[in-house]
C-alpha cells in the first residue's frame, strides 16, 4: 500500500538512494507513531518530553564540569598546591551527587515516555487487527506472507522495540548534539592554530584539534555506515526467523491433544529443527555483520583513546601549555570525537530498530489495505449491510470466490424470514464460505448480503472460542462474566448435559485444553441458551457429538427458540427434519438445489413435547456424555465418538 507519491516512485524499478530511502522511512515512521504526541494525554507526555530535555541538558553539564575539574586538578598536581587541591574534593562530591540524581530522574521520565508510547501504538495496531475480522482475513490475504505474518509477535515485540529504541536513539542523539556544541567551543579555545606557507603566503588554520576531530569522526562514521549495511538486513531476517520459531512452538502447544493422539511428536521435532535452522542461518549472517563492525569499532576505540594525547603532548613538552590544559584538551577531544561517533556507537541498535519499524509498518499497511479494499465503492467484494426496510436475511446475486478470485458459487439469491429454519448442505467448503460471508469474514466475490435491521445474528462456529479464564467467562463470552447469574449458568450447563461443570464455574484455566471438542460444542449451545438471540447461525456446531446427542441438542435449540430464525450449516441427513428448508450448494459450476417449503405457518416440524418420556429421551445421551467426558477427564482426553 502506498501512502504518497514519493513512496510510490521508490517502488521496484527505481532503487532510491540511501539518503532518500532513509527520508522515506522516517516519514513513514512518523505517520505511524507521530499522532501519539497529539493524542488524548498529549500534554502529560509533552511535559515529560520537556523534563527529558532539561535532564539531558543536566547530563551534558556533568562531563563539562568534569572537564573543567580535570584541568584544575592537574594544574594543582603540577604546582604541588594542596590549597587548590582540597576544594576540588568538595567539587567532585557535588558532581557525583548531581550525576546520580539527574540520571535517576532521567531514567524514570524516559521509561514513562516509552511505556506511554508503546501503550498507545499497541492499542492502535491491536484495535485495527482485532476488528472487522481482520485478524482472520490477514492470514488469507494473497501476496508475500512475510509482509504480515506473525502479527502477535509484531504487536508484542516489534512495537516494544519501535517505541523504546526510538526514544533511546533520540535521547542519545540529542545528548551527543548538545555535547558537540559544548566541547567544540571548549576545544577551539584550547587549540592552537596550524600555520603553513603556500609560496610566499602564510596560511593559518585556527582550532586545529577541532578540525582533526571532525575529520577523524567523519571518516570513522562513513566507514561504520558502509560496514554496517549488511547488519540491517541480517537483523530483520533474524527477527522474522525468531518470530516463526515462537509461533511454531505456540501452535504445537495449542494443538497438543491432536499431536499426542496421532503420536506426531517426531514430526513436530523435525519441524522445530527446520524452524531453528532458519534462526541459525540468520544468526550466522548477523554474526558476520557484527564481527566486521566490531573489528572496526574496537580499533576505533583504541585509537580514540590514544590520538588526542599524541596530538596535544607536543604543546606540553614544548612549554606552550600547562599539564591541566593538556589533559583538558585531550579529554575535550575525546568527548567531541565521541559525540561525532554517534552513528558508529549506535549502528546495531539502529539496525534492530529499523527492522522492527519495518515489520510494524508492514502489518499496519496490510490492515489498512484490508480496510480500504472493503470500503472502496468499486471494490470487487461482497457487500454485507443492514437492511433498513425489512427484517429478513436476504442474499442477492451472490458470487463467492477464493481469495485469488476463483469463483466457487455464482448467482445465489435467497431470503430467510424471521422464525424460519434453513439448513445449508451440499458442497462442504462452499457452505462454510457462505457461513463466513454472512458473518462478514469472507469478502471475496460479489453481490449483497442484507441482514435484518432489528436483530443481531448470533454465530456459533464449529469450535467455539474458549478464552483463558474462569468458566463463567467462557459461558458468558462475548459478554462479560457477570452478565448472567450463577443459577442461569448452572441451568444452561444442565440442559446441555454438563451439569457436573456447574461446580467449576469459578475455576480459572485453559478450558480449550481441558475440554474435548464435543464438550466445547455443548458449551457453545449453553452459551446460546444464555444469550437467547432471535437470529442464530450455526456452522457444524454439533458435529463432534454422537448422533443421538446431536439430534437431542438440535431439538433443544428448536424447542427453546421456536420463534428464532435458524441458519444451520450441517451435513447429516437427520438435521433436515428439524428445518423448514434445505439449500444444497453445488460443486463449482453447478446450480443450488432447494428442498422443502415448510416456512413458519406452513407445516413446521412438530416441536418436542415436555412429557416425561421426552425428557428421558433428551437427557439420556447427555448422561452418557457426562459419564464419558467428565469422569477422570481433567486432562482433556476426549475424542470424537464417531471415531
Amino acid at each position: 500500500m502506498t501512502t504518497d507519491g514519493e513512496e510510490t516512485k521508490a517502488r521496484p524499478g527505481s532503487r532510491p538512494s540511501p539518503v532518500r530511502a532513509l527520508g522515506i522511512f522516517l516519514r513513514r515512521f512518523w505517520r505511524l507513531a507521530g499522532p501519539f504526541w497529539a493524542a488524548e494525554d498529549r500534554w502529560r507526555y509533552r511535559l515529560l518530553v520537556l523534563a527529558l530535555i532539561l535532564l539531558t541538558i543536566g547530563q551534558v553539564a556533568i562531563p563539562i564540569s568534569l572537564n573543567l575539574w580535570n584541568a584544575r586538578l592537574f594544574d594543582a598536581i603540577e604546582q604541588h598546591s594542596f590549597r587548590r587541591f582540597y576544594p576540588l574534593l568538595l567539587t567532585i562530591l557535588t558532581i557525583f551527587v548531581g550525576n546520580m540524581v539527574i540520571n535517576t530522574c532521567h531514567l524514570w521520565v524516559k521509561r514513562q515516555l516509552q511505556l506511554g508510547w508503546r501503550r498507545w501504538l499497541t492499542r492502535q495496531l491491536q484495535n485495527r487487527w482485532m476488528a472487522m475480522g481482520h485478524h482472520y482475513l490477514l492470514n488469507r490475504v494473497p501476496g508475500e506472507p512475510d509482509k504480515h505474518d506473525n502479527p502477535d509477535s509484531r504487536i508484542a515485540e516489534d512495537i516494544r522495540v519501535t517505541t523504546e529504541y526510538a526514544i533511546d536513539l533520540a535521547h542519545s542523539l540529542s545528548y551527543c548534539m548538545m555535547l558537540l556544541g559544548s566541547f567544540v567551543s571548549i576545544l577551539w579555545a584550547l587549540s592552537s592554530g596550524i600555520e603553513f606557507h603556500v609560496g610566499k603566503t602564510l596560511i593559518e588554520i585556527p582550532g586545529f584539534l577541532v578540525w582533526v576531530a571532525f575529520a577523524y569522526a567523519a571518516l570513522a562514521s562513513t566507514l561504520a555506515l558502509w560496514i554496517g549495511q549488511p547488519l540491517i538486513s541480517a537483523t530483520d531476517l533474524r527477527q522474522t526467523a525468531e518470530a516463526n520459531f515462537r509461533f511454531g512452538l505456540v501452535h504445537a502447544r495449542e494443538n497438543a491433544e491432536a499431536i499426542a493422539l496421532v503420536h506426531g511428536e517426531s514430526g513436530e521435532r523435525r519441524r522445530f529443527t527446520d524452524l531453528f535452522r532458519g534462526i541459525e542461518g540468520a544468526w550466522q549472517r548477523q554474526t558476520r555483520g557484527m564481527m566486521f563492525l566490531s573489528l572496526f569499532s574496537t580499533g576505533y576505540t583504541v585509537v580514540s583513546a590514544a590520538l588526542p594525547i599524541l596530538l596535544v603532548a607536543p604543546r606540553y613538552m614544548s612549554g606552550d601549555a600547562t599539564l591541566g590544559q593538556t589533559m583538558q584538551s585531550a579529554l575535550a577531544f575525546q568527548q567531541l570525537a565521541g559525540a561525532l561517533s554517534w552513528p558508529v556507537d549506535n549502528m546495531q541498535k539502529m539496525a534492530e530498530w529499523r527492522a522492527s519499524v519495518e515489520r510494524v509498518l508492514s502489518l499496519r499497511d496490510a490492515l489498512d489495505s484490508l480496510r480500504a479494499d472493503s470500503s472502496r465503492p468499486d471494490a470487487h467484494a461482497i457487500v454485507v449491510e443492514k437492511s433498513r426496510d425489512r427484517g429478513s436475511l436476504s442474499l442477492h446475486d451472490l458470487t463467492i470466490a477464493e481469495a485469488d478470485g476463483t469463483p466457487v458459487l455464482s448467482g445465489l439469491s435467497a431470503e430467510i424470514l424471521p422464525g424460519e429454519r434453513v439448513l445449508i448442505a451440499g458442497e462442504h467448503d462452499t457452505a462454510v464460505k457462505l457461513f463466513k460471508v454472512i458473518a462478514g469474514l469472507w469478502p471475496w466475490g460479489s453481490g449483497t448480503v442484507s441482514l435484518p435491521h432489528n436483530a443481531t445474528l448470533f454465530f456459533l462456529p464449529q469450535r467455539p472460542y474458549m478464552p483463558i479464564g474462569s468458566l463463567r467467562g467462557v459461558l458468558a463470552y462475548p459478554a462479560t462474566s457477570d452478565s448472567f447469574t450463577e443459577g442461569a449458568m448452572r441451568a444452561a450447563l444442565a440442559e446441555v448435559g454438563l451439569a457436573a461443570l456447574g461446580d467449576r464455574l469459578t475455576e480459572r484455566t485453559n478450558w480449550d485444553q481441558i475440554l474435548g471438542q464435543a464438550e466445547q460444542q455443548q458449551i457453545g449451545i449453553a452459551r446460546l441458551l444464555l444469550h437467547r438471540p432471535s437470529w442464530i447461525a450455526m456452522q457444524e456446531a454439533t458435529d463432534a457429538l454422537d448422533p443421538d446427542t446431536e439430534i437431542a441438542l438440535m431439538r433443544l435449540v428448536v424447542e427453546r427458540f421456536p420463534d428464532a430464525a435458524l441458519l444451520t450449516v450441517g451435513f447429516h441427513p437427520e438435521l433436515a427434519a428439524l428445518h423448514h428448508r434445505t439449500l444444497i450448494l453445488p460443486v463449482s459450476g453447478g446450480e443450488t438445489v432447494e428442498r422443502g417449503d415448510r416456512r413458519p405457518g406452513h407445516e413446521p416440524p412438530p416441536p418436542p413435547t415436555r412429557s416425561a418420556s421426552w425428557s428421558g429421551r433428551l437427557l439420556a445421551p447427555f448422561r452418557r456424555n457426562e459419564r464419558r467426558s467428565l469422569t477422570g477427564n481433567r486432562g482433556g482426553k476426549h475424542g470424537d465418538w464417531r471415531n
Side-chain angles (χ1 to χ4, degrees):
M1 177 179 175
T2 58
T3 51
D4 59 32
E6 188 171 2
E7 290 179 31
T8 304
K9 294 176 184 177
R11 294 298 180 186
S14 61
R15 180 184 291 271
S17 65
V19 174
R20 186 181 178 191
L22 179 61
I24 293 173
F25 165 76
L26 291 176
R27 283 194 294 275
R28 294 182 68 219
F29 166 72
W30 186 249
R31 279 194 290 272
L32 169 73
F36 165 71
W37 305 103
E40 184 178 356
D41 295 332
R42 58 186 177 276
W43 289 111
R44 175 175 183 264
Y45 293 109
R46 288 176 183 180
L47 289 174
L48 286 175
V49 170
L50 178 61
L52 193 69
I53 293 173
L54 294 175
L55 289 167
T56 302
I57 293 173
Q59 287 181 320
V60 173
I62 296 299
I64 294 175
S65 301
L66 282 173
N67 185 268
L68 298 174
W69 182 84
N70 270 284
R72 294 167 185 166
L73 174 66
F74 283 102
D75 281 341
I77 293 173
E78 184 182 33
Q79 298 168 12
H80 306 285
S81 173
F82 284 97
R83 183 178 62 83
R84 300 179 61 183
F85 177 78
Y86 288 124
L88 292 174
L89 298 179
L90 180 60
T91 303
I92 195 61
L93 179 62
T94 303
I95 295 173
F96 171 74
V97 173
N99 189 46
M100 288 195 302
V101 172
I102 290 171
N103 281 287
T104 302
C105 293
H106 183 276
L107 177 65
W108 183 87
V109 171
K110 184 182 73 172
R111 289 182 65 84
Q112 295 307 305
L113 276 172
Q114 289 172 328
L115 178 61
W117 203 358
R118 180 185 178 186
R119 183 196 303 119
W120 177 85
L121 188 53
T122 298
R123 287 177 180 172
Q124 293 293 312
L125 264 292
Q126 73 184 15
N127 288 345
R128 296 188 190 195
W129 179 52
M130 198 58 61
M132 303 170 63
H134 288 167
H135 53 95
Y136 170 81
L137 296 171
L138 197 63
N139 298 323
R140 289 158 177 79
V141 172
E144 301 178 40
D146 61 334
K147 295 299 183 183
H148 48 71
D149 60 355
N150 301 322
D152 51 334
S153 175
R154 295 175 191 243
I155 293 174
E157 179 63 19
D158 289 311
I159 285 180
R160 180 190 69 80
V161 174
T162 294
T163 52
E164 288 186 14
Y165 283 19
I167 291 178
D168 283 341
L169 291 169
H171 161 253
S172 62
L173 179 60
S174 301
Y175 175 82
C176 288
M177 294 299 291
M178 293 180 189
L179 209 64
L180 178 65
S182 301
F183 279 97
V184 161
S185 59
I186 293 174
L187 192 59
W188 188 278
L190 293 171
S191 297
S192 61
I194 184 172
E195 298 177 351
F196 58 92
H197 287 273
V198 177
K200 296 183 178 181
T201 305
L202 176 65
I203 298 177
E204 181 179 1
I205 300 177
F208 168 68
L209 290 177
V210 174
W211 298 113
V212 172
F214 270 96
Y216 173 67
L219 176 62
S221 297
T222 302
L223 289 174
L225 289 171
W226 176 65
I227 294 172
Q229 276 298 317
L231 188 59
I232 297 176
S233 58
T235 301
D236 188 13
L237 182 65
R238 183 193 165 190
Q239 288 178 335
T240 301
E242 295 277 6
N244 290 337
F245 183 63
R246 286 194 301 269
F247 178 79
L249 295 174
V250 172
H251 185 68
R253 176 177 60 81
E254 291 176 345
N255 295 274
E257 181 178 357
I259 295 170
L261 286 173
V262 299
H263 304 291
E265 291 85 355
S266 59
E268 290 303 303
R269 288 195 298 269
R270 286 193 298 271
R271 191 165 63 88
F272 295 157
T273 300
D274 291 340
L275 289 172
F276 198 81
R277 285 198 186 102
I279 293 179
E280 290 177 336
W283 179 278
Q284 296 299 347
R285 183 173 169 181
Q286 188 184 37
T287 300
R288 286 193 294 271
M290 293 173 68
M291 285 174 60
F292 285 116
L293 188 61
S294 176
L295 184 67
F296 171 78
S297 60
T298 51
Y300 174 79
T301 301
V302 173
V303 174
S304 297
L307 182 62
I309 299 294
L310 296 176
L311 290 173
V312 300
R315 289 193 66 208
Y316 173 72
M317 291 186 289
S318 64
D320 293 334
T322 65
L323 181 60
Q325 290 174 330
T326 302
M327 297 307 299
Q328 186 182 14
S329 299
L331 292 173
F333 184 95
Q334 287 180 338
Q335 292 285 358
L336 184 59
L340 291 168
S341 302
W342 182 85
V344 179
D345 299 333
N346 292 276
M347 176 60 64
Q348 183 175 346
K349 199 165 195 173
M350 285 191 295
E352 294 178 12
W353 175 69
R354 183 165 182 175
S356 289
V357 172
E358 291 286 4
R359 285 171 54 80
V360 175
L361 284 168
S362 295
L363 175 61
R364 194 277 309 269
D365 290 346
L367 293 172
D368 285 352
S369 295
L370 284 174
R371 178 180 295 180
D373 289 344
S374 63
S375 61
R376 286 205 323 265
D378 61 334
H380 296 288
I382 298 170
V383 177
V384 181
E385 61 184 8
K386 287 277 187 178
S387 176
R388 297 182 179 180
D389 55 349
R390 60 196 310 171
S392 63
L393 189 158
S394 62
L395 312 175
H396 179 67
D397 197 20
L398 189 65
T399 294
I400 303 176
E402 299 286 359
D404 61 3
T406 305
V408 296
L409 179 68
S410 301
L412 175 62
S413 295
E415 184 177 27
I416 302 170
L417 301 176
E420 187 177 8
R421 296 189 291 275
V422 178
L423 176 66
I424 307 295
E427 172 62 24
H428 178 274
D429 290 345
T430 304
V432 171
K433 286 183 175 65
L434 177 58
F435 177 84
K436 294 174 181 177
V437 164
I438 296 172
L441 297 180
W442 196 267
W444 295 286
S446 61
T448 303
V449 177
S450 297
L451 303 178
H453 71 279
N454 57 349
T456 300
L457 270 70
F458 189 95
F459 291 93
L460 195 58
Q462 185 177 30
R463 187 159 186 168
Y465 176 58
M466 302 278 125
I468 297 176
S470 68
L471 186 57
R472 286 185 63 98
V474 171
L475 278 172
Y477 189 84
T480 57
S481 59
D482 58 355
S483 300
F484 307 99
T485 65
E486 181 177 338
M489 289 185 173
R490 286 179 177 270
L493 287 172
E495 286 199 273
V496 300
L498 297 178
L501 286 177
D503 296 330
R504 303 172 66 181
L505 285 173
T506 58
E507 183 178 335
R508 302 180 66 85
T509 185
N510 188 350
W511 293 100
D512 186 44
Q513 301 296 322
I514 295 297
L515 301 176
Q517 187 172 354
E519 292 165 327
Q520 292 181 37
Q521 291 190 341
Q522 288 170 273
I523 289 287
I525 300 298
R527 196 180 277 170
L528 183 66
L529 296 176
L530 288 171
H531 285 83
R532 304 195 62 79
S534 58
W535 286 80
I536 305 168
M538 304 172 65
Q539 183 225 319
E540 302 174 273
T542 55
D543 69 337
L545 300 162
D546 68 278
D548 291 338
T549 306
E550 179 179 29
I551 296 302
L553 275 179
M554 290 301 298
R555 284 187 176 275
L556 177 65
V557 172
V558 171
E559 193 273 338
R560 288 289 185 271
F561 304 98
D563 299 323
L566 176 63
L567 180 65
T568 305
V569 175
F571 304 94
H572 300 156
E574 299 86 354
L575 296 175
L578 297 171
H579 295 78
H580 299 109
R581 288 187 293 153
T582 300
L583 293 178
I584 302 177
L585 303 182
V587 180
S588 180
E591 295 184 358
T592 301
V593 177
E594 181 175 349
R595 292 179 180 172
D597 188 19
R598 297 178 295 175
R599 301 195 177 196
H602 297 81
E603 305 177 25
T609 64
R610 283 187 170 274
S611 63
S613 59
W614 170 84
S615 177
R617 290 198 307 274
L618 180 65
L619 294 179
F622 292 158
R623 288 169 182 149
R624 292 199 306 271
N625 194 4
E626 281 197 73
R627 286 197 299 272
R628 295 192 185 191
S629 63
L630 297 177
T631 303
N633 188 38
R634 290 177 178 265
K637 301 293 185 182
H638 186 281
D640 188 338
W641 290 11
R642 301 182 192 281
N643 295 330

